[in-house]
Amino acid sequence: AQSVAQPEDQVNVAEGNPLTVKCTYSVSGNPYLFWYVQYPNRGLQFLLKYITGDNLVKGSYGFEAEFNKSQTSFHLKKPSALVSDSALYFCAVRDMGAGNMLTFGGGTRLMVKP
Amino acid sequence: ETGVTQTPRHLVMGMTNKKSLKCEQHLGHNAMYWYKQSAKKPLELMFVYSLEERVENNSVPSRFSPECPNSSHLFLHLHTLQPEDSALYLCASSQLSGRPDNEQFFGPGTRLTVL
């Protein structure tokens, strides 16, 4: 069975500093990995995905994520955080053997302070 | 805003009421999903409809009854709910094409409170 872990419930970063939101996964085959962001009172918005190819994936709003197969990780990163990046971030994985079902992590709340 | 809309955005109901949540997608997708998001649990997949047929039902109590009359509309009918059913209910859609990389698009959610 596929699973996703986001080990940090909350990450605090000062504006302008780099940020990292961690995600590790477990799948039986090749992983298809996604990051979503949820702003208050809103649904989830797609940020980026890893399917194959370059391990560094670039997405919306200046975010990027690094796929590391040996560490089964897909950490979300941004070189310089903005206060407006404060939101709830979800990592998700789709296993080829699981049809089109996504398994989501528990979410990490990112707080960027001025 | 995404191409997925949900109504109502907020709903307060008593345990004996019957109500329905509505979801509509304007993206031409052929699959739709209901998720439950609560403070205590991560996103829980409730139901999946593919080409208007239910393909997934994650042991959801029968007091939740989904309906998918066509590929653009999805309903969640609610009756005799419990206070623990209070949560944010999210609808999503995607295009099933045999490729695993198609992301899901989410609506803004319905915040449900059961008194």
Side-chain angles (χ1 to χ4, degrees), chain B residues 57-81:
Chain B
N57 179 345
N58 272 355
S59 302
V60 178
S62 60
R63 56 186 184 269
F64 295 92
S65 175
E67 178 189 4
C68 186
N70 55 61
S71 60
S72 298
H73 293 86
L74 184 65
F75 294 90
L76 188 62
H77 304 300
L78 317 171
H79 64 97
T80 59
L81 294 192

Side-chain angles (χ1 to χ4, degrees), chain A residues 63-85:
Chain A
F63 283 93
E64 57 189 27
E66 186 171 9
F67 171 68
N68 188 317
K69 188 174 183 178
S70 62
Q71 297 185 6
T72 61
S73 66
F74 189 56
H75 300 330
L76 182 70
K77 300 180 179 182
K78 187 173 182 180
S80 179
L82 300 173
V83 173
S84 58
D85 292 330

Side-chain angles (χ1 to χ4, degrees), chain A residues 32 34 36 38 41-44 46 49 51 88 90 94 96 100-102 104-106, chain B residues 1 9 33 35 37 42-43 45 48 88 90 94 96 100-104 106-108:
Chain A
Y32 298 89
F34 302 78
Y36 286 82
Q38 185 179 31
N41 301 313
R42 302 284 292 274
L44 277 68
F46 169 75
K49 63 185 176 185
I51 305 303
L88 189 58
F90 289 95
R94 177 182 294 133
M96 276 292 286
N100 201 37
M101 306 308 155
L102 283 177
F104 285 88
Chain B
E1 287 289 349
R9 293 293 306 275
Y33 312 76
Y35 288 87
Q37 184 181 21
L43 287 167
L45 179 63
V48 181
L88 182 67
L90 292 165
S94 72
L96 294 182
D101 61 336
N102 292 329
E103 59 267 27
Q104 295 179 13
F106 285 78

Side-chain angles (χ1 to χ4, degrees), chain A:
Chain A
Q2 58 193 33
S3 65
V4 179
Q6 293 180 244
E8 302 154 316
D9 290 337
Q10 182 162 316
V11 171
N12 298 310
V13 177
E15 187 175 30
N17 282 1
L19 68 88
T20 298
V21 182
K22 296 180 180 178
C23 171
T24 59
Y25 65 89
S26 174
V27 297
S28 56
N30 291 324
Y32 298 89
L33 297 154
F34 302 78
W35 275 103
Y36 286 82
V37 60
Q38 185 179 31
Y39 297 103
N41 301 313
R42 302 284 292 274
L44 277 68
Q45 296 180 32
F46 169 75
L47 272 181
L48 52 80
K49 63 185 176 185
Y50 171 82
I51 305 303
T52 186
D54 195 347
N55 289 344
L56 185 64
V57 180
K58 294 188 183 297
S60 306
Y61 311 121
F63 283 93
E64 57 189 27
E66 186 171 9
F67 171 68
N68 188 317
K69 188 174 183 178
S70 62
Q71 297 185 6
T72 61
S73 66
F74 189 56
H75 300 330
L76 182 70
K77 300 180 179 182
K78 187 173 182 180
S80 179
L82 300 173
V83 173
S84 58
D85 292 330
S86 299
L88 189 58
Y89 290 81
F90 289 95
C91 182
V93 65
R94 177 182 294 133
D95 191 336
M96 276 292 286
N100 201 37
M101 306 308 155
L102 283 177
T103 299
F104 285 88
T108 298
R109 186 163 301 281
L110 173 66
M111 298 290 291
V112 182
K113 299 188 176 179

Side-chain angles (χ1 to χ4, degrees), chain B residues 10-79:
Chain B
H10 301 272
L11 178 63
V12 180
M13 59 186 290
M15 289 190 286
T16 59
N17 292 156
K18 291 184 180 180
K19 297 287 184 182
S20 295
L21 309 184
K22 179 183 176 181
C23 175
E24 184 173 0
Q25 59 97 359
H26 312 273
L27 301 169
H29 289 161
N30 58 12
M32 298 187 75
Y33 312 76
W34 278 117
Y35 288 87
K36 176 183 178 182
Q37 184 181 21
S38 61
K40 295 183 178 180
K41 292 186 176 181
L43 287 167
E44 300 176 73
L45 179 63
M46 300 176 71
F47 300 105
V48 181
Y49 275 82
S50 173
L51 299 172
E52 302 157 35
E53 290 189 20
R54 190 188 309 178
V55 296
E56 186 79 12
N57 179 345
N58 272 355
S59 302
V60 178
S62 60
R63 56 186 184 269
F64 295 92
S65 175
E67 178 189 4
C68 186
N70 55 61
S71 60
S72 298
H73 293 86
L74 184 65
F75 294 90
L76 188 62
H77 304 300
L78 317 171
H79 64 97

